[in-house]
Amino acid sequence: MPKGTSKSDSQEIKLINAADAAELIRRVNSALSLMDDMQSTIIRREYMKNEQPVKICMALYIPERTFYRKQKQALLSFAYAFNGGQLVQEAYKLLNDKQPA
């Protein structure tokens, strides 16, 4: 085996990982673009920017109770919008696999 193989394999793995990450980001942004503005804002700020719910509530001028209701709606919308509903299909499959026969 040639000496440089390990280093080149490592670089190849890094390139593959970077390409996979870029594709995942594209899919997430595509799903967010299909959602309404309030829902996508909640997802972006809470999960991508790691903002606290109280801070998001103040920025959106909504009470916390409304925030949590809209957050649930946003998560469901994202699950349906991401990659053609892939998350919903996987959750459904997991739930059915756990059911006794």
Side-chain angles (χ1 to χ4, degrees), residues 8-27:
S8 64
D9 286 349
S10 175
Q11 289 174 342
E12 183 178 333
I13 289 169
K14 286 179 183 178
L15 287 172
I16 291 169
N17 288 341
D20 289 346
E23 177 61 18
L24 180 60
I25 290 169
R26 187 195 66 73
R27 289 179 183 180

Side-chain angles (χ1 to χ4, degrees), residues 76-87:
L76 264 175
S77 293
F78 182 81
Y80 278 101
F82 181 77
N83 213 24
Q86 175 186 359
L87 296 176

Side-chain angles (χ1 to χ4, degrees), residues 45 49-62 64 67-68:
R45 293 183 82 154
K49 294 181 178 179
N50 206 25
E51 288 184 27
Q52 295 299 315
V54 173
K55 186 176 178 184
I56 299 169
C57 290
M58 291 188 322
L60 297 176
Y61 303 105
I62 58 172
E64 258 188 279
F67 168 81
Y68 287 110

Side-chain angles (χ1 to χ4, degrees), residues 32-89:
L32 290 171
S33 73
L34 297 173
M35 298 165 59
D36 73 34
D37 288 341
M38 176 74 74
Q39 292 176 347
S40 65
T41 298
I42 289 172
I43 297 290
R44 285 180 198 279
R45 293 183 82 154
E46 186 172 14
Y47 298 103
M48 298 169 93
K49 294 181 178 179
N50 206 25
E51 288 184 27
Q52 295 299 315
V54 173
K55 186 176 178 184
I56 299 169
C57 290
M58 291 188 322
L60 297 176
Y61 303 105
I62 58 172
E64 258 188 279
R65 189 172 177 169
T66 301
F67 168 81
Y68 287 110
R69 188 176 67 250
K70 293 199 174 283
Q71 177 199 45
K72 287 178 189 177
Q73 294 167 347
L75 290 171
L76 264 175
S77 293
F78 182 81
Y80 278 101
F82 181 77
N83 213 24
Q86 175 186 359
L87 296 176
V88 175
Q89 293 168 3

